[in-house]
């Protein structure tokens, strides 16, 4: 199992440098920001999924602090009605069946008073605050390749940095494409 400590050691080993110990935590933090938020193909894998019931008050609900992106939202009613995202500039309070997100708040259409069931991608705890997380356990290469890119930038090696960026991009694309939601048919139980 990979840990924050072993990741730091791996980065120093891959860089063939023992003098970057104090800078490596910064490389990891920069990689985490890109990995989960700013990369054009930010990581979204099953290990990041979470579910939460949100309380609705005055046609709004507060998003969880670790929210990155919604998988889906359903009304917590007997029908479990799915509601769909629309951008804030197109959303109207009269658009039943649609929500929008403004800041850290989900805005709901007129008439919605049920709580919400939110299934979403949650940002893992930063490695500086925990020894490991589900993403590091399952996708340690993402952290390593991202941190190496910043390591090479710090070392002023643009060619190595560009190569690391290409490897990082490829790793994220493959991880995301291998984690698409599974479409499965009905489950049949056969008596033995």
């Amino acid at each position: 199992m990979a840990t924050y400590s072993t990741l730091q050691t791996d980065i120093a080993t891959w860089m063939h440098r023992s003098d970057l110990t104090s800078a490596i935590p910064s490389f990891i933090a920069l990689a985490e920001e890109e990995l989960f938020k700013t990369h054009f193909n930010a990581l979204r894998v099953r290990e990041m999924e979470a579910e939460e019931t949100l309380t609705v008050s005055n046609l709004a609900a507060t998003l969880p602090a670790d929210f990155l992106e919604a998988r889906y939202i359903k009304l917590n009613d007997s029908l479990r009605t799915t509601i769909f995202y629309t951008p804030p500039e197109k959303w109207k309070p009269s658009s039943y069946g649609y929500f929008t997100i403004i800041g850290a708040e989900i805005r709901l259409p007129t008439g919605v008073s049920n709580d919400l069931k939110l299934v979403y991608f949650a940002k893992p705890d930063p490695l500086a605050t925990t020894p490991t997380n589900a993403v590091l356990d399952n996708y340690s290469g993402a952290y390593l390749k991202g941190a190496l890119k910043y390591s090479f930038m710090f070392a002023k090696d643009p060619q190595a940095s560009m190569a690391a960026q290409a490897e990082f991009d490829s790793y994220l694309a493959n991880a995301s494409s291998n984690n698409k939601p599974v479409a499965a048919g009905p489950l049949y139980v056969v008596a033995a």
Side-chain angles (χ1 to χ4, degrees):
M1 173 169 66
T3 66
Y4 185 50
S5 178
T6 59
L7 176 62
Q8 291 179 63
T9 302
D10 290 347
I11 293 165
T13 300
W14 278 73
M15 287 290 297
H16 303 286
R17 301 269 303 259
S18 59
D19 61 333
L20 297 177
T21 306
S22 63
I24 288 175
S26 295
F27 305 151
I28 295 170
L30 289 165
E32 282 180 314
E33 184 177 332
E34 185 173 359
L35 181 62
F36 302 121
K37 288 185 176 180
T38 63
H39 194 276
F40 67 90
N41 191 23
L43 190 65
R44 299 293 184 263
V45 291
R46 287 186 289 276
E47 291 82 1
M48 295 170 61
E49 289 181 10
E51 182 177 28
E52 185 128 355
T53 299
L54 305 179
T55 302
V56 172
S57 176
N58 297 321
L59 301 175
T62 302
L63 290 166
D66 60 355
F67 176 85
L68 289 171
E69 181 181 326
R71 284 277 320 272
Y72 62 84
I73 297 178
K74 292 185 179 280
L75 297 178
N76 202 11
D77 60 9
S78 60
L79 299 175
R80 307 285 283 172
T81 307
T82 301
I83 58 175
F84 301 94
Y85 175 79
T86 192
E89 64 274 8
K90 293 183 179 182
W91 182 79
K92 296 180 181 108
S94 61
S95 300
Y96 187 77
Y98 293 91
F99 71 93
T100 197
I101 296 175
I102 298 175
E105 192 173 75
I106 295 173
R107 302 275 174 92
L108 300 162
T110 305
V112 172
S113 60
N114 299 82
D115 288 343
L116 305 174
K117 248 333 166 194
L118 169 67
V119 174
Y120 67 105
F121 291 106
K123 183 180 181 207
D125 291 334
L127 291 178
T129 65
T130 184
T132 192
N133 62 38
V135 174
L136 182 61
D137 287 345
N138 293 283
Y139 303 93
S140 59
Y143 276 99
L144 178 63
K145 291 172 188 310
L148 284 173
K149 174 187 106 166
Y150 289 103
S151 299
F152 288 125
M153 288 171 67
F154 180 83
K156 300 192 184 325
D157 187 341
Q159 286 184 314
S161 179
M162 288 190 309
Q165 179 71 58
E167 288 182 20
F168 186 52
D169 295 346
S170 176
Y171 190 96
L172 292 181
N174 288 331
S176 294
S177 69
N178 290 333
N179 273 276
K180 296 288 182 215
V182 177
L187 176 65
Y188 295 99
V189 178
V190 179

